[in-house]
Amino acid sequence: MKNFQLGEFEEIVLLTVGILNKEAYSVGIKDEIESRLSRTVSMGALHTALLRLEDKGYLKSYSGESTEDRAGRPRRYFEITALGKKAMLYAKETREQLWKAIPKMVLNSKIVGSWAVASRQ
Amino acid sequence: MEKERNTPPNLFLKFFRWYCNPRLQDYIEGDLLEVYERRVNASGKRMADFRFILDVLLLCRPGIIKSENKSQPFYNSGMFKNNFKIAIRNLWKNKSSTVINVFGLTTGITSCLLIALFIGNEASFDQFQPRKEHIARVVMEYGFEGSTDKVSGTFTSTKVAPALSRTFPEVIKGVRMTDASMIVELNHEPITESKFLFADSSFFDVFYYDMVEGNAATALDGFDKVVLTESMAKKYFPQGDAVGKELLIGENKDPYEVTGVIRDYPVASQIQFDFIASFCSLRVNQEESWFEANYTTYLLLTGVDAFASLKAKLDPFMENEMKGTGASIRFSLEPFKDVHLYSPHSDLVPNTSIRYLYILGGIALLIIVIVCFTYINLSTAKSIERAREVGIRKVSGAMRGQLFWQFIGESLVLCTLSVLVSFVLASALLPAFSLLIDKNLQLSSLLTPSFILGVVAVTLLVSLIAGGYPALVLSNLQPARVLKGVFKNTQSAKVLQQSLTVFQFAITVFLIIATVVIQSQLHFIQNRKLGYDRDHIISMRVGGDAKYDVITTIKNELKTNTHIVDVTRCANSPVNISSGYSMRLPSMQGNEMISTNANPADEDYVSTTGLELVAGTNFSQNHISINESKEWDYKEFQFILNETAVKRLGFQSNEEAIGQAMELNRPGKIVGVMKDFNFQSLRNNIEPLVLFTATWGSRVLIKIKGDDMEGTLSFIEGKWKQLLPNRPFEYSFLDQEYERMYKTEQQLGQVMNLFAGIAIVLAGLGLFGLSSYMIQQRVKEISIRKVLGASLWSLLNLLSGNFVRLVLLSIVLAIVPAYLLMKQWLDGFVYRINLDAWIFIAAGLFTLVIAVITIGIHGMRAAVNNPVTGLRSE
């Protein structure tokens, strides 16, 4: 089967583009990731990830309207391509397979353990 | 209401714009500004500025920084391949202009390669000596009181090196040396080795040579030691192990011990030797006198500044030394590394004047200029054909820069092609060229990295210069005008073509004039009546210590042959007498002396060399043989003076001098006066000359009839082997010696012939190509004129008139610089031709004829063509 290359941050970006659906442009994506995952995203990292995803053919972009708060600069909107969807699905399936392969005991003890720590406080 | 915008730090915004890939710039800048605006509202301007700067810096990463490839997507390899293909196709399509250009470029570049090799060879002289900066050569200048004549040269006495190194702390070491032709015995046969040097043991301290065998520090210590070069060691000791063996050297077969073998050194060296023997082996006085200056002195100084400080001390020192002697001697120092190119005094190796190198370099440059101009002219003329292509390319979206580089690329292809051919050609021609300029040029120096780098640089430069203008013109064309079909050569292109043609031809005319002048001066020198006879005279060395009676026997024996006219023993042939003596009359006061050239000769000298006596008599044989038997202190000489010497001594007439007493080395009597003749190069005035009856002349001159050359020579050889068995039988002819004196001029003449010829051909080629294109454009016009009844003559006149005017203009332009420069060159000769008008007229006419013929070929073809063929196609 074809091997889809998708890094962790790339996957997040791809998913966020999906979430925003038609409204995905750089600052929007950045805000979304920052609010949902409570982590800061640097502009540089985001743009390189977007570029790389576009190069791989998982995203396509088009120029949007220019707005006043951007001093007349156009927005660039991103959309997931068919290949991009396949890559996302592939990533999800491989994760699930891996999840399934983990013995129950390992997961349970860990969750219980952490819950126990939390409940003691 | 206009909302006041907050602006982020300008410097960083600019920085961002500079590095950012233009494809992304707008979007990312938009993002930056949007986020910035938001942050200003949320957390104030300062915080927002800081975060902005941080963002900009974090954005500076590979995916976002612009890359050459992405910003100029048209310059991909596909386009290059296409351009290359188009270039090749175009060269193939316009075969005639390609041939002209390649031929021109190849000839030009080959000439330049050869000249560059020559210049490189001369410039590399002595560079291999590690202490070259600190070595000085001593030049001596002397004169006598009461006379303003000063003589200077690299001759110094044996005293100079030890005295100076003892007195001045600036001098570390001094080396005295002298070169000689020595007879060395090989397999029991005497062989003359002409590169035999005698030098002090400090020689290897001052100069560096790679000692293969033996110890450099002690090799030249003591009497009769000799060091060989590796090739000489192979010659004399083929079985190896030269060190410790003996060589028999000199007429008396003195045994010399071989104490070392050095590796063969670079040819480009002012000190040339195959053998180097210890200086004391000469058994000359060590430091008795400042005179008897027969040796060359080199000094190793403490540093570069020592030149100046020593110079300041030398003059007072020598003034003190020479006080009360009636003579003055001054020493000056020449930097060792400048000797070969800048010194007027040649010593062991003839120097090359830097002027000669400039002349050659200038010629190389002129040739390249001619070639470039030809290329420019042809390609601007051709631009009409390419115009449509340029139009289409522009319409299809080609940018100006792309077209420009395309055409530069085309000239680069052509240049590279020519350079490759030139390399092959140059290496093939190198032996012949080496012979022509009489230098030992190495093929290997053609392939040194620096030379190749230079050639690559020149190739690029030439293709930029030659291709630059046509590329500019072509890339500047307006597609709309070109494609409508109303395109003609622009006015500025025409002006440029014309001025280039004028310039080209001016260079050609200049070179022709220079060649004609140099050739006529050479012809003048070779055919001048010098006042003596130099045909059919054989010159042979006998050695200064050859016994008087042995030589007398040889003379008498030789004279028995009817093919031999006369034989004389002397020191110098009349071709070149330059030996410093001083003469005085008894009536002169104190120490007053007059410097003169002098030549020991016998009674047959005048008749053998065809000199003319204008007063008095010849030497008498009787006097010479009686004088010979006397001790030195009782000897008296007879003198024959030339007219200049008579005048210099203050006699009113030639007759008055006859019978007068005079002193030169020994007292004596003036017996005759000879007519002035040129006994030195024609560059110099005639100086005083005295022939005197000493018998230490080292040469025999034999005048032969010349009808049975071989028989006469074998007769001489027979007698020679019988009477002088220790002397190799080696001879030269006087006229060859004479030619050798003007070698530089002859080389210059030949080189000028060659390159002027090349220049003429190249300029002619350029005109040929240019006129062919010009006429092609006017085919229709000519046809219509013909139909309307124009005659052949009037058509030819119309077509070539313009070119003829240009060539005339260039002749006028060339004459003035040519006149000035050649006058300067001729001023170096005392005896010289006049710069007559005919030279300039002839050169001009010659150029004009070549130009008219070149244009005429095309003009004729166009004019006799059937007008129908010209008009039919539409």
Side-chain angles (χ1 to χ4, degrees):
Chain A
M1 191 185 162
K2 201 182 162 189
N3 196 5
F4 293 102
Q5 290 271 334
L6 202 55
E8 188 260 348
F9 186 63
E10 283 174 14
E11 193 182 349
I12 292 174
V13 172
L14 204 55
L15 289 167
T16 317
V17 172
I19 294 166
L20 288 171
N21 189 27
K22 309 260 177 195
E23 291 294 320
Y25 81 103
S26 46
V27 180
I29 299 168
K30 179 174 141 76
D31 292 348
E32 193 71 21
I33 297 175
E34 284 179 348
S35 66
R36 277 181 190 270
L37 301 183
S38 58
R39 65 188 258 189
T40 54
V41 177
S42 91
M43 206 92 84
L46 179 63
H47 275 287
T48 19
L50 284 170
L51 271 175
R52 219 176 301 140
L53 286 169
E54 208 178 349
D55 279 350
K56 286 176 185 169
Y58 300 160
L59 284 179
K60 61 182 178 192
S61 67
Y62 52 93
S63 251
E65 77 286 6
S66 52
T67 57
E68 211 211 321
D69 57 347
R70 293 170 65 86
R73 283 0 178 242
R75 281 181 182 162
R76 184 174 183 169
Y77 287 101
F78 292 88
E79 215 177 316
I80 304 175
T81 61
L83 188 68
K85 280 172 197 155
K86 267 189 197 165
M88 282 162 71
L89 282 177
Y90 171 71
K92 191 176 167 227
E93 276 163 20
T94 44
R95 293 288 153 86
E96 275 170 3
Q97 274 171 20
L98 290 173
W99 273 104
K100 279 176 196 156
I102 301 173
K104 286 262 158 26
M105 202 179 80
V106 177
L107 284 172
N108 283 342
S109 70
K110 208 169 193 180
I111 291 172
V112 168
S114 66
W115 179 80
V117 172
S119 65
R120 218 178 285 153
Q121 289 178 334
Chain B
M1 193 186 85
E2 181 78 2
K3 189 183 160 196
E4 188 68 21
R5 275 201 82 88
N6 290 301
T7 54
N10 205 13
L11 181 70
F12 284 85
L13 189 61
K14 273 191 180 153
F15 172 61
F16 167 75
R17 281 177 185 156
W18 173 73
Y19 75 67
C20 183
N21 190 332
R23 198 158 59 96
L24 303 172
Q25 190 194 320
D26 264 3
Y27 306 114
I28 302 183
E29 200 178 313
D31 290 353
L32 282 170
L33 292 175
E34 186 182 337
V35 174
Y36 179 75
E37 192 68 23
R38 219 160 59 189
R39 284 182 186 142
V40 171
N41 293 337
S43 45
K45 186 168 166 25
R46 280 187 60 156
M47 194 59 199
D49 277 352
F50 174 73
R51 300 278 296 272
F52 179 85
I53 291 169
L54 208 64
D55 275 343
V56 166
L57 291 179
L58 285 173
L59 270 166
C60 191
R61 53 175 81 198
I64 288 159
I65 295 173
K66 66 179 160 197
S67 75
E68 215 54 41
N69 266 337
K70 280 177 182 163
S71 63
Q72 294 168 318
F74 296 114
Y75 276 89
N76 49 31
S77 61
M79 204 63 202
F80 266 124
K81 248 185 250 169
N82 180 263
N83 279 348
F84 188 74
K85 200 182 272 173
I86 296 281
I88 297 286
R89 280 181 189 164
N90 254 308
L91 294 178
W92 192 246
K93 190 178 152 203
N94 305 304
K95 284 188 200 70
S96 66
S97 74
T98 305
V99 166
I100 290 176
N101 276 329
V102 169
F103 180 80
L105 280 169
T106 310
T107 324
I109 293 172
T110 309
S111 314
C112 291
L113 280 182
L114 291 176
I115 291 178
L117 267 185
F118 172 69
I119 293 180
N121 178 61
E122 295 306 304
S124 73
F125 250 74
D126 302 314
Q127 298 305 310
F128 69 98
Q129 286 294 351
R131 283 178 284 267
K132 57 181 185 287
E133 303 279 343
H134 300 168
I135 304 174
R137 189 172 77 168
V138 181
V139 172
M140 168 167 150
E141 183 191 272
Y142 70 89
F144 298 106
E145 268 169 35
S147 149
T148 53
D149 287 357
K150 298 271 188 220
V151 185
S152 69
T154 54
F155 38 71
T156 49
S157 78
T158 47
K159 191 174 178 175
V160 176
L164 295 191
S165 50
R166 221 174 17 237
T167 319
F168 301 107
E170 285 93 340
V171 183
I172 302 174
K173 295 265 181 189
V175 193
R176 300 166 291 184
M177 59 178 85
T178 183
D179 64 326
S181 274
M182 293 300 282
I183 299 169
V184 180
E185 201 176 68
L186 171 63
N187 302 330
H188 308 292
E189 281 287 322
I191 291 181
T192 308
E193 289 292 355
S194 54
K195 286 158 88 179
F196 201 105
L197 202 67
F198 288 92
D200 274 323
S201 56
S202 50
F203 182 82
F204 291 112
D205 297 330
V206 177
F207 302 104
Y208 172 78
Y209 289 94
D210 195 7
M211 202 71 135
V212 186
E213 288 177 70
N215 181 358
T218 56
L220 293 176
D221 283 351
F223 290 104
D224 302 336
K225 309 282 187 221
V226 66
V227 172
L228 313 185
T229 58
E230 226 173 4
S231 43
M232 280 300 127
K234 277 202 193 93
K235 178 175 166 187
Y236 283 88
F237 304 100
Q239 64 275 33
D241 249 0
V243 171
K245 299 250 174 63
E246 268 185 356
L247 275 177
L248 299 180
I249 291 170
E251 243 165 290
N252 304 327
K253 299 188 181 170
D254 303 317
Y256 278 60
E257 188 199 344
V258 178
T259 50
V261 176
I262 60 161
R263 204 178 293 288
D264 288 342
Y265 51 91
V267 202
S269 168
Q270 63 176 282
I271 300 170
Q272 291 282 342
F273 61 92
D274 289 333
F275 297 82
I276 180 161
S278 54
F279 192 77
C280 52
S281 320
L282 284 170
R283 299 296 207 276
V284 290
N285 69 65
Q286 283 300 305
E287 40 183 294
E288 285 153 20
S289 165
W290 292 105
F291 278 101
E292 287 182 53
N294 300 317
Y295 311 95
T296 310
T297 305
Y298 287 91
L299 303 176
L300 177 62
L301 304 183
T302 46
V304 184
D305 339 325
F307 279 96
S309 62
L310 192 57
K311 185 177 155 42
K313 292 183 201 168
L314 267 176
D315 283 351
F317 173 74
M318 284 314 294
E319 256 164 48
N320 191 36
E321 284 279 316
M322 301 307 291
K323 211 172 269 172
T325 58
S328 71
I329 292 183
R330 289 157 63 100
F331 291 115
S332 53
L333 305 173
E334 290 176 324
F336 174 76
K337 61 180 171 53
D338 293 345
V339 163
H340 186 68
L341 293 181
Y342 297 96
S343 171
H345 310 291
S346 289
D347 203 326
L348 304 177
V349 174
N351 290 342
T352 304
S353 159
I354 188 90
R355 260 182 66 196
Y356 189 49
L357 296 191
Y358 281 140
I359 292 177
L360 277 177
I363 292 176
L365 196 71
L366 290 183
I367 287 180
I368 279 288
V369 166
I370 291 185
V371 171
C372 282
F373 284 6
T374 301
Y375 185 89
I376 295 176
N377 270 348
L378 282 182
S379 23
T380 39
K382 262 191 329 195
S383 61
I384 302 151
E385 285 174 17
R386 303 294 299 272
R388 206 150 277 161
E389 178 196 335
V390 171
I392 297 287
R393 274 175 186 271
K394 279 206 165 176
V395 167
S396 329
M399 291 193 302
R400 217 189 131 181
Q402 282 176 286
L403 285 169
F404 178 81
W405 289 111
Q406 183 199 338
F407 289 113
I408 291 281
E410 249 165 65
S411 72
L412 186 65
V413 167
L414 203 69
C415 274
T416 315
L417 197 71
S418 312
V419 166
L420 292 180
V421 180
S422 299
F423 255 94
V424 176
L425 211 62
S427 48
L429 290 176
L430 195 62
F433 184 68
S434 295
L435 211 65
L436 179 73
I437 56 166
D438 196 34
K439 293 278 168 184
N440 194 358
L441 297 183
Q442 307 290 324
L443 187 61
S444 56
S445 42
L446 203 61
L447 298 173
T448 55
S450 59
F451 195 77
I452 289 180
L453 206 70
V455 169
V456 170
V458 169
T459 312
L460 289 178
L461 201 70
V462 167
S463 30
L464 259 181
I465 294 172
Y469 182 77
L472 268 181
V473 169
L474 281 169
S475 60
N476 220 5
L477 294 175
Q478 297 297 319
R481 282 183 54 210
V482 171
L483 293 176
K484 241 175 12 189
V486 289
F487 175 69
K488 274 226 150 140
N489 248 349
T490 56
Q491 197 55 38
S492 69
K494 262 185 197 150
V495 169
L496 182 90
Q497 276 169 5
Q498 294 186 347
S499 39
L500 291 189
T501 310
V502 167
F503 203 71
Q504 248 180 350
F505 270 86
I507 293 173
T508 315
V509 174
F510 173 81
L511 286 178
I512 295 178
I513 292 175
T515 314
V516 172
V517 170
I518 291 172
Q519 290 302 326
S520 352
Q521 173 69 14
L522 281 177
H523 182 81
F524 172 80
I525 289 173
Q526 269 147 8
N527 295 286
R528 192 182 143 80
K529 295 258 174 295
L530 296 168
Y532 63 87
D533 186 7
R534 62 172 187 275
D535 294 328
H536 302 308
I537 294 183
I538 300 171
S539 163
M540 304 180 73
R541 299 202 149 268
V542 291
D545 45 359
K547 295 264 182 331
Y548 172 74
D549 40 341
V550 174
I551 300 297
T552 313
T553 322
I554 285 200
K555 279 171 65 177
N556 291 335
E557 288 280 326
L558 288 179
K559 277 182 195 168
T560 57
N561 189 313
T562 50
H563 294 292
I564 293 176
V565 184
D566 230 328
V567 186
T568 179
R569 179 196 195 170
C570 57
N572 290 297
S573 72
V575 169
N576 194 2
I577 305 174
S578 84
S579 47
Y581 284 82
S582 51
M583 58 180 175
R584 68 186 303 270
L585 295 177
S587 58
M588 283 163 43
Q589 291 179 351
N591 286 322
E592 196 185 330
M593 287 196 241
I594 294 171
S595 54
T596 179
N597 293 282
N599 190 21
D602 63 14
E603 75 282 1
D604 292 319
Y605 191 75
V606 170
S607 54
T608 308
T609 55
L611 297 178
E612 194 186 331
L613 287 179
V614 290
T617 58
N618 197 355
F619 298 136
S620 81
Q621 195 193 352
N622 206 16
H623 156 82
I624 297 177
S625 60
I626 292 171
N627 208 24
E628 178 60 24
S629 58
K630 289 182 187 164
E631 288 292 310
W632 172 254
D633 289 341
Y634 300 97
K635 274 192 209 289
E636 278 188 14
F637 287 139
Q638 289 186 340
F639 301 115
I640 295 178
L641 276 58
N642 72 352
E643 291 165 311
T644 310
V646 170
K647 277 189 211 103
R648 198 66 63 87
L649 286 169
F651 295 115
Q652 296 303 315
S653 71
N654 295 335
E655 284 71 22
E656 194 192 319
I658 305 297
Q660 298 289 332
M662 193 185 98
E663 223 174 280
L664 184 141
N665 271 7
R666 295 290 312 149
K669 202 169 74 175
I670 301 171
V671 294
V673 176
M674 59 191 164
K675 206 166 174 349
D676 273 346
F677 67 97
N678 289 99
F679 59 89
Q680 284 173 353
S681 159
L682 291 180
R683 280 180 222 109
N684 307 336
N685 264 316
I686 295 181
E687 300 282 319
L689 174 68
V690 179
L691 302 182
F692 64 109
T693 52
T695 52
W696 64 66
S698 59
R699 245 183 225 260
V700 165
L701 299 182
I702 306 168
K703 169 83 178 169
I704 59 175
K705 277 193 183 137
D707 40 4
D708 179 19
M709 198 71 90
E710 248 172 73
T712 320
L713 281 174
S714 64
F715 172 78
I716 299 174
E717 185 171 5
K719 290 286 169 204
W720 195 267
K721 291 246 156 98
Q722 179 193 339
L723 294 165
L724 279 172
N726 290 337
R727 270 273 155 194
F729 177 71
E730 286 165 348
Y731 61 89
S732 63
F733 286 94
L734 269 204
D735 43 359
Q736 291 170 348
E737 269 179 49
Y738 182 72
E739 309 262 302
R740 214 170 301 141
M741 207 155 63
Y742 301 101
K743 212 162 133 190
T744 348
E745 279 75 20
Q746 284 195 331
Q747 280 173 8
L748 184 65
Q750 281 163 338
V751 170
M752 284 301 282
N753 272 354
L754 180 70
F755 291 118
I758 288 176
I760 295 166
V761 170
L762 292 182
L765 266 181
L767 192 65
F768 186 82
L770 188 62
S771 58
S772 112
Y773 276 102
M774 290 289 178
I775 288 169
Q776 255 176 36
Q777 281 179 42
R778 296 174 73 175
V779 168
K780 250 172 221 153
E781 179 197 337
I782 295 165
S783 304
I784 292 172
R785 281 177 189 273
K786 247 187 128 172
V787 170
L788 294 178
S791 69
L792 176 71
W793 180 246
S794 68
L795 281 178
L796 270 183
N797 202 14
L798 178 80
L799 290 174
S800 53
N802 189 35
F803 283 116
V804 171
R805 267 198 297 280
L806 293 183
V807 173
L808 280 177
L809 181 64
S810 56
I811 292 172
V812 172
L813 281 181
I815 280 180
V816 176
Y819 176 82
L820 292 176
L821 269 171
M822 291 328 289
K823 189 173 176 312
Q824 204 197 354
W825 184 74
L826 281 176
D827 283 344
F829 292 86
V830 177
Y831 300 91
R832 46 167 273 198
I833 54 163
N834 289 319
L835 273 176
D836 291 331
W838 72 263
I839 293 173
F840 300 96
I841 296 171
L845 269 181
F846 181 68
T847 319
L848 199 60
V849 167
I850 296 237
V852 166
I853 290 174
T854 318
I855 307 158
I857 293 171
H858 292 300
M860 200 68 181
R861 213 162 48 187
V864 297
N865 239 355
N866 189 345
V868 174
T869 48
L871 288 172
R872 192 173 45 193
S873 62
E874 189 69 356

